[in-house]
Amino acid sequence: MGNRVGREDYEWVYTDQPHADRRKEILAKYPEIKSLMGPDRRLKWIVCMMVGIQFLAFYLVKDLDWKWVLFWTYAFGSCINHSMTLAIHEISHNTAFGNNKAMWNRYFAMFANLPIGLPYSASFKRYHLDHHRYLGGDGIDVDIPTDFEGWFFCTRLRKFVWIILQPLFYAVRPLCINPKPVSQLELTNVAVQLCFDVLLSWTWGAKPVVYMLAGSMLGMGLHPISGHFIAEHYMFLKGHETYSYYGCLNLLTFNVGYHNEHHDFPSIPGRRLPLVKKMAPEYYNDLPQYTSWVRVLYDFIMDDTLSPYSRIKRKLKGEVKQE
């Protein structure tokens, strides 16, 4: 457990990200893929159902013994809340109401944010679009761990702890790498979420609040679904920057596992991403891919060649336009 990882820096490259060129090539060969773009009319109803399920869970856990509150927090609440963060990911691409109703998407994301307990949706939108536009961009892409994370979490035990603490690092990392002025939407997100949390505590007591907040932290830490954090862009094979996952957990995560397809076509809703692979199979079938996020987590911890430094990074050229 004490073996140190061999990497002492990121994998620096001097090429552009691969997704823009592949998108152009695929669209030239299969222009019908454009028909998959546009909002997913089902998404808003699925999100409303999931929010309703969590509201029902808040009511049901208020009278349980604490041991059962904690059990259901990990067994159920963590799954739903992680799924809700990925619903917000979908909405950040305007797939709920379309690009013509951008503000509807922003406020609907705040609604989807309610069962998570922590104000998340408005800030996520700003940084996530930078991640797509400037994948691996030094000082811009906050999905890439900091130098401290790469330097310190360099043994198996420390990598295990790092995975548990993923929610903390995702929250702090933007402040270290690419701080931005607070926007009005972010203030609104905080106010709405705080009012909801106080109302929940006042109405049904502490247990639903613990179920909500702990579920979010556990679901984004050491949890099977959180394997997607590692699977998407950590360099398990030299030179490969993005990886797709084609396992059953895509059913709970709005097909976020189809990650090469998503970065190639971010305006296509998750529900339709399998059709991209089906329509252009020669572009995806031979790319490195996963079928188990649990195995990804295990391999990341146990493989002494992998660490938070196992990311492709590039210096950006020209004008950088951030959200």
Side-chain angles (χ1 to χ4, degrees), residues 183-201:
S183 69
Q184 184 60 51
L185 277 175
E186 286 173 308
L187 292 174
T188 302
N189 191 189
V190 170
V192 169
Q193 190 64 56
L194 182 60
C195 289
F196 175 79
D197 293 353
V198 170
L199 180 62
L200 180 64
S201 177

Side-chain angles (χ1 to χ4, degrees), residues 47 51 84 87-88 91 107-116:
V47 169
V51 171
M84 291 305 306
I88 290 171
I91 299 165
Y107 288 117
F108 188 62
M110 292 183 198
F111 169 73
N113 197 149
L114 293 179
I116 296 173

Side-chain angles (χ1 to χ4, degrees), residues 15-67:
T15 57
D16 292 334
Q17 60 160 301
H19 299 287
D21 287 342
R22 188 161 60 218
R23 175 167 56 247
K24 292 177 183 177
E25 189 174 333
I26 292 175
L27 286 176
K29 189 173 182 179
Y30 300 107
E32 60 271 24
I33 283 181
K34 291 182 180 179
S35 66
L36 302 177
M37 300 175 183
D40 178 1
R41 305 300 177 187
R42 300 183 189 179
L43 178 61
K44 54 183 174 293
W45 304 116
I46 293 172
V47 169
C48 288
M49 179 186 69
M50 292 171 66
V51 171
I53 288 173
Q54 279 296 69
F55 282 10
L56 176 61
F58 295 157
Y59 175 77
L60 293 176
V61 302
K62 69 182 178 67
D63 296 320
L64 294 180
D65 289 338
W66 275 108
K67 63 180 179 181

Side-chain angles (χ1 to χ4, degrees), residues 61 66 69-70 73 200 205-216 218:
V61 302
W66 275 108
V69 172
L70 297 178
T73 293
L200 180 64
K207 290 177 181 178
V209 176
V210 171
Y211 167 87
M212 173 177 63
L213 296 175
S216 295
L218 293 171

Side-chain angles (χ1 to χ4, degrees), residues 28 83 93 101 107 112 120 125 170 173 194 206 223 244 265 267:
S83 186
H93 290 285
K101 296 180 178 178
Y107 288 117
Y120 160 82
K125 159 76 175 178
Y170 267 95
R173 203 179 289 154
L194 182 60
H223 193 280
S244 287
F265 299 99
S267 59

